Coordinates of all heavy atoms in Angstrom, one line a residue:
V1 N 0.8 -1.2 0.0 CA 0.0 0.0 0.0 C 0.9 1.3 0.0 O 0.6 2.2 -0.8 CB -0.9 0.0 1.2 CG1 -1.7 1.4 1.3 CG2 -2.0 -1.1 1.1
L2 N 1.9 1.3 0.8 CA 2.8 2.4 0.9 C 3.5 2.6 -0.4 O 3.7 3.8 -0.8 CB 3.8 2.3 2.1 CG 3.2 2.2 3.5 CD1 4.3 2.2 4.5 CD2 2.3 3.4 3.8
R3 N 4.0 1.6 -1.0 CA 4.7 1.7 -2.3 C 3.7 2.3 -3.4 O 4.1 3.1 -4.2 CB 5.2 0.3 -2.8 CG 6.4 -0.2 -2.0 CD 7.0 -1.4 -2.7 NE 8.0 -2.0 -1.8 CZ 7.8 -2.9 -0.9 NH1 6.6 -3.5 -0.9 NH2 8.7 -3.4 -0.2
K4 N 2.5 1.9 -3.3 CA 1.5 2.4 -4.3 C 1.2 3.9 -4.0 O 1.1 4.7 -5.0 CB 0.2 1.6 -4.2 CG -0.9 1.9 -5.3 CD -0.4 1.3 -6.6 CE -1.5 1.2 -7.6 NZ -2.1 2.5 -8.0
L5 N 1.1 4.2 -2.7 CA 0.9 5.6 -2.4 C 2.1 6.5 -2.8 O 2.0 7.6 -3.3 CB 0.7 5.8 -0.9 CG -0.7 5.3 -0.3 CD1 -0.7 5.3 1.2 CD2 -1.8 6.2 -0.9
K6 N 3.3 5.9 -2.7 CA 4.5 6.6 -3.2 C 4.5 6.8 -4.7 O 4.7 7.9 -5.2 CB 5.8 5.8 -2.8 CG 7.1 6.4 -3.4 CD 8.2 5.5 -3.0 CE 9.5 5.8 -3.8 NZ 9.9 7.2 -3.7
K7 N 4.1 5.7 -5.4 CA 4.1 5.7 -6.8 C 3.0 6.8 -7.3 O 3.2 7.4 -8.3 CB 3.7 4.4 -7.4 CG 3.6 4.3 -8.9 CD 3.2 2.8 -9.3 CE 3.1 2.8 -10.8 NZ 2.7 1.4 -11.3
D8 N 1.9 6.9 -6.6 CA 0.9 7.8 -7.0 C 1.1 9.2 -6.5 O 0.2 10.1 -6.5 CB -0.5 7.3 -6.5 CG -0.9 6.0 -7.2 OD1 -0.4 5.8 -8.3 OD2 -1.8 5.3 -6.8
G9 N 2.3 9.5 -5.9 CA 2.6 10.8 -5.5 C 2.1 11.3 -4.1 O 2.0 12.5 -3.9
F10 N 1.6 10.3 -3.3 CA 1.0 10.7 -2.0 C 2.0 10.6 -0.9 O 1.8 11.1 0.2 CB -0.2 9.8 -1.7 CG -1.5 10.6 -2.0 CD1 -1.8 11.1 -3.2 CD2 -2.4 10.7 -1.0 CE1 -2.9 11.8 -3.5 CE2 -3.6 11.4 -1.2 CZ -3.9 12.0 -2.4
L11 N 3.1 9.9 -1.1 CA 4.1 9.7 0.0 C 5.5 10.0 -0.6 O 5.8 9.6 -1.8 CB 4.1 8.3 0.6 CG 2.9 8.0 1.5 CD1 3.1 6.5 2.0 CD2 2.8 8.9 2.7
D12 N 6.4 10.6 0.2 CA 7.8 10.8 -0.2 C 8.7 10.1 0.7 O 9.0 10.5 1.8 CB 8.1 12.3 -0.2 CG 9.5 12.6 -0.6 OD1 10.1 11.7 -1.2 OD2 10.0 13.8 -0.4
V13 N 9.0 8.8 0.3 CA 9.8 8.0 1.2 C 10.7 7.2 0.3 O 10.4 6.8 -0.8 CB 8.9 7.0 2.0 CG1 7.9 6.2 1.1 CG2 9.7 6.1 2.9
D14 N 12.0 7.0 0.7 CA 12.9 6.2 0.0 C 12.4 4.8 -0.2 O 11.9 4.2 0.7 CB 14.3 6.2 0.6 CG 14.9 7.5 0.7 OD1 14.5 8.4 -0.1 OD2 15.9 7.7 1.5
D15 N 12.7 4.2 -1.4 CA 12.3 2.9 -1.7 C 12.8 1.9 -0.7 O 12.0 0.9 -0.2 CB 12.7 2.4 -3.1 CG 12.0 3.2 -4.2 OD1 10.8 3.6 -4.0 OD2 12.6 3.3 -5.3
N16 N 14.0 2.0 -0.2 CA 14.6 1.1 0.7 C 14.1 1.2 2.1 O 14.5 0.5 3.0 CB 16.1 1.1 0.6 CG 16.7 2.5 1.1 OD1 15.9 3.4 1.2 ND2 18.0 2.6 1.2
K17 N 13.2 2.2 2.4 CA 12.7 2.5 3.7 C 11.2 2.2 3.8 O 10.6 2.3 4.9 CB 13.0 3.9 4.2 CG 14.5 4.2 4.4 CD 14.7 5.6 4.8 CE 16.2 5.9 5.1 NZ 16.4 7.3 5.5
V18 N 10.6 1.7 2.8 CA 9.2 1.5 2.8 C 8.8 0.4 3.7 O 7.8 0.6 4.6 CB 8.7 1.2 1.3 CG1 7.2 0.7 1.4 CG2 8.7 2.4 0.4
T19 N 9.5 -0.7 3.7 CA 9.1 -1.8 4.6 C 9.3 -1.4 6.1 O 8.5 -1.7 7.0 CB 9.9 -3.1 4.3 OG1 9.6 -3.5 2.9 CG2 9.6 -4.2 5.2
A20 N 10.4 -0.7 6.3 CA 10.7 -0.2 7.7 C 9.6 0.7 8.2 O 9.2 0.7 9.4 CB 12.1 0.4 7.8
L21 N 9.1 1.6 7.3 CA 8.1 2.5 7.6 C 6.8 1.7 7.9 O 6.1 2.0 8.9 CB 7.8 3.5 6.5 CG 6.7 4.5 6.7 CD1 6.9 5.4 7.9 CD2 6.6 5.4 5.4
A22 N 6.5 0.8 7.1 CA 5.3 0.0 7.3 C 5.4 -0.8 8.6 O 4.4 -0.9 9.4 CB 5.1 -1.0 6.2
D23 N 6.6 -1.3 9.0 CA 6.8 -2.0 10.2 C 6.6 -1.1 11.4 O 6.1 -1.5 12.5 CB 8.1 -2.7 10.2 CG 8.3 -3.7 11.3 OD1 7.3 -4.5 11.5 OD2 9.3 -3.8 11.9
T24 N 7.1 0.1 11.3 CA 7.0 1.1 12.4 C 5.5 1.4 12.7 O 5.0 1.5 13.8 CB 7.7 2.4 12.0 OG1 9.1 2.1 11.8 CG2 7.5 3.5 13.1
I25 N 4.7 1.6 11.6 CA 3.3 1.8 11.7 C 2.6 0.6 12.4 O 1.8 0.8 13.3 CB 2.6 2.1 10.4 CG1 3.2 3.5 9.9 CG2 1.1 2.2 10.5 CD1 2.8 3.8 8.4
K26 N 3.0 -0.6 11.9 CA 2.4 -1.8 12.5 C 2.8 -1.9 14.0 O 1.9 -2.3 14.8 CB 2.9 -3.0 11.7 CG 2.3 -4.4 12.2 CD 2.7 -5.5 11.2 CE 4.1 -5.9 11.3 NZ 4.4 -6.6 12.6
M27 N 4.0 -1.5 14.4 CA 4.4 -1.6 15.8 C 3.6 -0.6 16.6 O 3.1 -1.0 17.7 CB 5.9 -1.2 15.9 CG 6.4 -1.2 17.3 SD 8.2 -0.8 17.3 CE 8.2 0.9 16.6
M28 N 3.3 0.6 16.1 CA 2.5 1.6 16.8 C 1.1 1.0 17.1 O 0.6 1.2 18.2 CB 2.5 2.9 16.1 CG 3.8 3.7 16.2 SD 3.5 5.3 15.5 CE 2.3 6.0 16.6
V29 N 0.5 0.5 16.0 CA -0.8 0.0 16.1 C -0.9 -1.2 17.1 O -1.8 -1.3 18.0 CB -1.4 -0.4 14.7 CG1 -2.7 -1.1 14.9 CG2 -1.5 0.8 13.8
S30 N 0.1 -2.1 17.0 CA 0.1 -3.4 17.8 C 0.2 -3.1 19.3 O -0.4 -3.8 20.1 CB 1.2 -4.3 17.3 OG 1.0 -4.7 16.0
F31 N 1.0 -2.0 19.7 CA 1.3 -1.8 21.1 C 0.6 -0.5 21.6 O 0.9 -0.2 22.8 CB 2.8 -1.8 21.3 CG 3.4 -3.2 21.0 CD1 4.0 -3.4 19.8 CD2 3.2 -4.2 21.9 CE1 4.5 -4.7 19.6 CE2 3.8 -5.5 21.7 CZ 4.4 -5.7 20.5
W32 N -0.2 0.1 20.9 CA -0.9 1.3 21.4 C -1.7 1.1 22.6 O -1.7 1.8 23.6 CB -1.7 2.0 20.3 CG -2.4 3.2 20.7 CD1 -3.8 3.3 21.0 CD2 -1.8 4.5 21.0 NE1 -4.0 4.6 21.4 CE2 -2.9 5.4 21.4 CE3 -0.5 5.0 20.8 CZ2 -2.7 6.7 21.7 CZ3 -0.3 6.3 21.2 CH2 -1.4 7.1 21.6
I33 N -2.5 0.0 22.6 CA -3.4 -0.3 23.7 C -2.6 -0.6 25.0 O -2.8 -0.1 26.1 CB -4.3 -1.5 23.4 CG1 -5.4 -0.9 22.4 CG2 -5.0 -2.0 24.6 CD1 -6.4 -2.0 21.9
S34 N -1.6 -1.5 24.9 CA -0.8 -1.9 26.0 C 0.0 -0.7 26.5 O 0.2 -0.5 27.8 CB 0.2 -3.0 25.7 OG 1.0 -2.7 24.7

């Protein structure tokens, strides 16, 4: 999803950081409640 948003001009993120960014978001969501 993030790569598609980058391709469509909605995100400005280096290609080699897309997965790390997605993982950071997943981490925030997973541990927000705790």
Side-chain angles (χ1 to χ4, degrees):
V1 171
L2 295 185
R3 287 190 189 94
K4 190 73 165 62
L5 288 171
K6 172 183 168 62
K7 180 181 178 182
D8 291 342
F10 257 59
L11 289 181
D12 182 13
V13 55
D14 293 341
D15 289 333
N16 62 349
K17 293 182 179 178
V18 168
T19 299
L21 178 60
D23 195 41
T24 299
I25 293 169
K26 184 168 73 69
M27 177 178 63
M28 284 188 64
V29 173
S30 297
F31 294 101
W32 178 254
I33 287 178
S34 58

